[in-house]
């Protein structure tokens, strides 16, 4: 704000019967500088990372097919922060119980979970060694096994390298106690970063 001038008129009586003198006094009053309030600080929220949602139906029996979607970070083009997702149709087609012809303790047996995987997405689907989680009735879990045989194999578990539209069959082997009952099997797509499905086995 500009300074304000205040003018005062003061009448003074002259000495010796003289006339009255008028004195003009000017006083300048300066207003304090105006204060400005800085604008509120702005905060930038980083983009949220997206995790694929779980399918509406997450469990079913042998023969049930689930469509599972992978992570947005598995196929990221150069210069991008995310990319297209894997998309597969997975189906547990049967159980091999027991698998014979292998040397394992009498207190245990080897079982196999057979599964078909079809790539229903637009990018190549890769699972170098398909596996999952086998749950037993009453608690406990099966121990994943890699079977090696010089002859015909009852349970093959090849790597999956599926172009869009291609299918592959795998059989995942597990060692379980001899008297154990199988309860369920879970497979998670995209090397464990995608959606999961559970098949009830009993």
């Amino acid at each position: 704000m500009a300074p304000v001038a205040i003018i005062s008129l003061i009448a003074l009586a002259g000495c010796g019967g003289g006339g009255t003198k008028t004195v003009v006094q000017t006083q300048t009053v300066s207003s304090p500088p105006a204060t400005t309030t800085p604008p509120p600080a702005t905060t930038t929220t980083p983009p949220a990372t997206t995790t694929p949602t779980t399918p509406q139906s997450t469990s079913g029996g042998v023969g049930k097919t689930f469509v599972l979607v992978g992570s947005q970070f598995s196929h990221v083009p150069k210069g991008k922060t995310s990319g297209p997702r894997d998309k597969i149709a997975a189906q547990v087609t049967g159980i091999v119980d027991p698998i014979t012809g292998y040397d394992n303790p009498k207190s245990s047996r080897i079982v196999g979970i057979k599964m078909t995987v079809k790539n229903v997405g637009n990018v190549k689907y890769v699972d170098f060694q398909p596996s999952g989680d086998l749950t037993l009735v009453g608690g406990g879990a099966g121990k994943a096994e890699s079977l090696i045989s010089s002859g015909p194999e009852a349970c093959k578990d090849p790597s999956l390298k599926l172009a869009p539209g291609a299918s592959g069959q795998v059989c995942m082997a597990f060692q379980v106690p001899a008297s154990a009952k199988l309860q369920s099997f879970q497979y998670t797509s995209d090397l464990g970063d995608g959606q999961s499905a559970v098949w009830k086995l009993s």
Side-chain angles (χ1 to χ4, degrees):
M1 181 181 292
V4 179
I6 300 176
I7 301 175
S8 302
L9 300 178
I10 303 174
L12 300 177
C15 297
T20 302
K21 296 180 179 179
T22 302
V23 180
V24 180
Q25 293 183 337
T26 302
Q27 182 179 4
T28 301
V29 179
S30 298
S31 300
T35 58
T36 58
T37 303
T42 58
T43 57
T44 303
T45 303
T49 57
T50 305
T51 302
T53 55
T54 303
Q56 273 191 328
S57 175
T58 58
S59 64
V62 173
K64 175 74 174 180
T65 299
F66 295 99
V67 175
L68 307 177
V69 179
S71 166
Q72 64 176 336
F73 304 114
S74 295
H75 305 278
V76 181
K78 186 176 181 179
K80 302 291 185 180
T81 57
S82 63
R85 301 175 188 267
D86 293 317
K87 189 176 183 181
I88 62 169
Q91 179 189 39
V92 169
T93 57
I95 303 170
V96 184
D97 186 8
I99 297 174
T100 59
Y102 294 91
D103 186 16
N104 61 289
K106 292 183 179 181
S107 60
S108 67
R109 72 184 195 275
I110 299 176
V111 300
I113 306 297
K114 299 177 72 174
M115 187 170 73
T116 296
V117 177
K118 182 176 182 179
N119 186 348
V120 295
N122 298 316
V123 291
K124 187 175 183 178
Y125 183 73
V126 176
D127 190 342
F128 296 106
Q129 188 172 14
S131 188
D133 298 306
L134 179 63
T135 302
L136 307 178
V137 174
K143 177 185 176 184
E145 292 284 345
S146 296
L147 302 181
I148 300 175
S149 174
S150 58
E153 295 183 57
C155 189
K156 295 182 180 181
D157 189 15
S159 296
L160 290 176
K161 298 178 181 179
L162 305 175
S167 299
Q169 288 77 39
V170 297
C171 179
M172 293 155 283
F174 298 86
Q175 186 182 83
V176 301
S179 59
K181 294 182 178 180
L182 311 184
Q183 178 170 293
S184 63
F185 173 74
Q186 176 177 301
Y187 177 76
T188 303
S189 66
D190 197 3
L191 301 176
D193 291 328
Q195 294 175 333
S196 300
V198 177
W199 289 265
K200 298 176 182 178
L201 306 179
S202 63

